[in-house]
Amino acid sequence: MEVRGIKDRMTEIKAIRGFNDILPGEIGKWQFVENTAREVFEGFGFSEIRIPILERTELFARGIGEATDIVEKEMYTFTDRSGNSLTLRPEATASMARAYLEHQLHSFDPVAKLYCIGPMFRYERPQKGRYRQFYQIDAEVFGVDNPMVDAEVIHMLIHFLRRVGLERLELQINSLGCRECRPRYREELKGFLTKRSFRLCEDCQRRLETNPLRILDCKVESCQEAIAGAPKVTDYICEQCRKHFDRVKEYLAMAGLSFILNPRMVRGLDYYTRTAFEVISYQLGSQNAVTGGGRYDNLFQEIGGLDIPGIGFAVGMERLVSLLPAGKGFVQNPSLFVAALGDEALKEAYRIVSQLHLEGIRAELDYEGKSLKSQMRRADKLKARYVLIFGEEEFKRGRAVLRNMETKSQEEIPLQGVLNTLKKRIIGD
Ligand code: ATP
Ligand code: MG
């Protein structure tokens, strides 16, 4: 028997590493964050879009860029039964841009403000704050290159994070230049880093050729040392990009937002141009970016050949949720638990509970009709606000006891009109 028990346990199926369950005890925080996002974004004129989780691999390879971490080593790519190469989406922007083009949303209005909430998949080393399936809230504006929109998007993001209750946030911004001016900076940086290449990690040695800007973002200590004193991108941007950046700063100031200029912040993806931003929380450890985003005026060219500008951000839900204060208000407890003893009382309890459910009041009972003591223990464990107790003797008299579990006070109430009495107590206070 013993041996079989162990064997059975060994065959228990577990979730895949880096893939999490979000349990009822935590879900309240997730729902709160999602509801707040919807409320804030809709208020800023954004509409939700839902896009598939699977796309053709080519969309990400072209959209995100071959020389990025995501495409090089983080994608879940497989061949389906018809021989197509498909990829579980590692981010939402490329898919949203594809949908905008595919359904010609631009023919209705060139400006599209869209948001999307859902899971993303990246094959990374799982650790705290870094998972293989994780959730993002994405917002994007397609079709406007005016710096006013950059400020508006950042303003919405900060407003959302504050509404969620985050404090000690730092907004960092940078300009990455454009197709015209970035190549010059790229060469300048490459020259600087080549002289220090012996200090770079293996990945960055390779990045020197493929994506030198990405080295600025490397978290390896020796690479961080190597980039000290590196040329700053903002010293190389063209007149147009400088003007754009100045206006962004001006509009941010108009919105009352303070920011820090971080010329080292480059963001991981190829498609970014001009404005890039990140919001850092000092409550998080090394995985400290809650959210990042930027402008990408070349993405559409890559995936559809049209010259459409875009700007947006992605918020990591796991990291955001981990910053919310524990407890209060996030767990749903029953408003009422009906403890009933005996068949007749249990039937009446069932009638009451089903009526309350129709009114949207969270009510529970014990289906097995166990002893009153064990039912009370359960009501306590579930943290019910009230318990309605049908003792046999009171029930015969057409009465029940209503106990307020917070104040521990109780009162006897008649079964006649019990629903109204309960609603008054539960909703009324
Ligand atoms: P990092 O530098 O931490 O790898 P990133 O630049 O890859 O982040 P983005 O692609 O910009 O991140 O995604 C935006 C947000 O999504 C991040 O700021 C983070 O909160 C979250 N995020 C990214 N990768 C993961 C992951 N593997 N697990 C959990 N959250 C993630
Ligand atoms: Mg990453």
Side-chain angles (χ1 to χ4, degrees):
M1 279 305 274
E2 227 1 70
V3 174
R4 231 183 107 192
I6 290 168
K7 203 167 164 215
D8 284 350
R9 243 176 283 146
M10 277 167 61
T11 54
E12 184 186 331
I13 297 171
K14 297 267 175 60
I16 309 165
R17 206 160 92 91
F19 286 67
N20 298 318
D21 299 306
I22 303 158
L23 301 175
E26 317 156 57
I27 205 73
K29 288 186 177 183
W30 289 72
Q31 290 171 335
F32 165 70
V33 167
E34 286 174 7
N35 292 341
T36 309
R38 285 177 206 284
E39 211 177 295
V40 169
F41 295 0
E42 300 273 347
F44 270 74
F46 285 65
S47 303
E48 184 172 358
I49 181 169
R50 297 198 188 185
I51 46 170
I53 282 171
L54 266 184
E55 296 271 4
R56 291 178 195 285
T57 303
E58 205 185 348
L59 174 70
F60 304 117
R62 265 167 43 191
I64 299 172
E66 300 277 4
T68 55
D69 279 5
I70 292 184
V71 175
E72 269 181 354
K73 53 185 186 194
E74 294 175 1
M75 294 207 302
Y76 274 92
T77 298
F78 65 95
T79 310
D80 76 0
R81 288 170 194 271
S82 316
N84 303 310
S85 177
L86 304 180
T87 294
L88 282 169
R89 64 181 189 199
E91 56 114 58
T93 312
S95 308
M96 283 159 85
R98 179 207 41 75
Y100 173 85
L101 290 175
E102 187 169 338
H103 304 285
Q104 298 179 355
L105 299 187
H106 46 91
S107 66
F108 168 67
D109 189 312
V111 183
K113 297 182 173 179
L114 305 168
Y115 71 91
C116 167
I117 303 177
M120 305 297 154
F121 303 85
R122 295 185 195 174
Y123 195 80
E124 299 195 73
R125 196 168 72 77
Q127 54 195 286
K128 191 171 177 299
R130 197 171 286 286
Y131 309 101
R132 289 181 170 175
Q133 173 174 333
F134 61 99
Y135 286 76
Q136 281 187 341
I137 300 178
D138 281 82
E140 315 286 342
V141 180
F142 299 146
V144 202
D145 62 8
N146 194 296
M148 207 183 283
V149 169
D150 303 34
E152 192 174 75
V153 164
I154 295 173
H155 190 196
M156 177 171 90
L157 172 61
I158 300 286
H159 180 58
F160 161 64
L161 295 174
R162 285 182 183 154
R163 276 281 307 275
V164 165
L166 295 203
E167 291 164 6
R168 294 202 290 145
L169 295 174
E170 185 179 284
L171 167 64
Q172 300 191 351
I173 59 168
N174 192 18
S175 174
L176 303 178
C178 63
R179 218 178 303 161
E180 308 303 321
C181 54
R182 193 147 80 203
R184 194 159 75 86
Y185 173 66
R186 195 186 137 111
E187 283 316 302
E188 209 53 49
L189 181 68
K190 194 173 154 186
F192 176 89
L193 290 171
T194 305
K195 286 186 220 137
R196 290 160 181 78
S197 64
F198 59 94
R199 289 205 199 160
L200 299 177
C201 71
E202 216 171 288
D203 278 341
C204 284
Q205 303 256 355
R206 194 167 34 84
R207 287 176 185 138
L208 259 183
E209 290 309 318
T210 58
N211 192 357
L213 265 74
R214 175 68 182 78
I215 299 175
L216 297 177
D217 207 24
C218 183
K219 285 160 188 117
V220 176
E221 209 171 305
S222 59
C223 295
Q224 283 295 318
E225 284 163 22
I227 63 171
K232 293 178 180 165
V233 59
T234 36
D235 290 337
Y236 290 81
I237 58 178
C238 62
E239 191 53 27
Q240 295 270 348
C241 287
R242 166 161 327 284
K243 272 196 189 140
H244 185 98
F245 198 39
D246 286 344
R247 299 279 299 285
V248 173
K249 290 185 265 185
E250 205 177 301
Y251 288 124
L252 285 176
M254 274 174 69
L257 296 176
S258 53
F259 49 82
I260 285 181
L261 299 176
N262 179 359
R264 299 257 183 273
M265 189 242 299
V266 291
R267 313 282 304 122
L269 317 186
D270 260 9
Y271 56 52
Y272 286 113
T273 51
R274 294 193 168 167
T275 317
F277 54 93
E278 268 181 14
V279 182
I280 308 291
S281 157
Y282 286 99
Q283 286 165 264
L284 285 175
S286 60
Q287 319 295 348
N288 60 1
V290 190
T291 167
R295 177 164 280 290
Y296 42 86
D297 294 346
N298 302 334
L299 170 69
F300 281 90
Q301 288 259 329
E302 292 298 332
I303 65 171
L306 287 179
D307 204 3
I308 297 168
I311 180 164
F313 61 77
V315 181
M317 293 266 284
E318 284 79 1
R319 293 186 201 175
L320 181 53
V321 163
S322 75
L323 293 174
L324 299 187
K328 272 210 135 26
F330 292 123
V331 180
Q332 289 262 30
N333 306 120
S335 299
L336 180 77
F337 188 96
V338 186
L341 205 62
D343 280 353
E344 283 311 303
L346 195 57
K347 258 189 217 159
E348 177 64 6
Y350 175 70
R351 190 185 70 84
I352 291 171
V353 165
S354 5
Q355 288 299 316
L356 291 177
H357 285 166
L358 295 180
E359 313 257 351
I361 295 173
R362 224 173 151 102
E364 278 300 327
L365 55 72
D366 194 283
Y367 301 105
E368 308 303 336
K370 292 198 198 99
S371 76
L372 273 187
K373 201 170 153 198
S374 87
Q375 293 191 44
M376 288 306 287
R377 262 205 306 271
R378 186 155 168 246
D380 206 39
K381 194 173 73 187
L382 295 177
K383 296 197 172 67
R385 252 170 77 213
Y386 286 93
V387 184
L388 184 66
I389 308 159
F390 287 160
E392 255 167 327
E393 191 262 331
E394 289 117 355
F395 189 69
K396 273 186 208 140
R397 284 196 287 117
R399 303 183 78 80
V401 170
L402 182 64
R403 182 175 167 85
N404 181 324
M405 298 295 275
E406 276 157 35
T407 63
K408 309 281 179 223
S409 65
Q410 48 187 54
E411 59 179 319
E412 207 178 273
I413 58 170
L415 289 180
Q416 188 86 32
V418 66
L419 276 174
N420 279 335
T421 316
L422 289 172
K423 274 190 278 180
K424 239 183 261 161
R425 296 288 186 282
I426 292 167
I427 303 166
D429 59 35

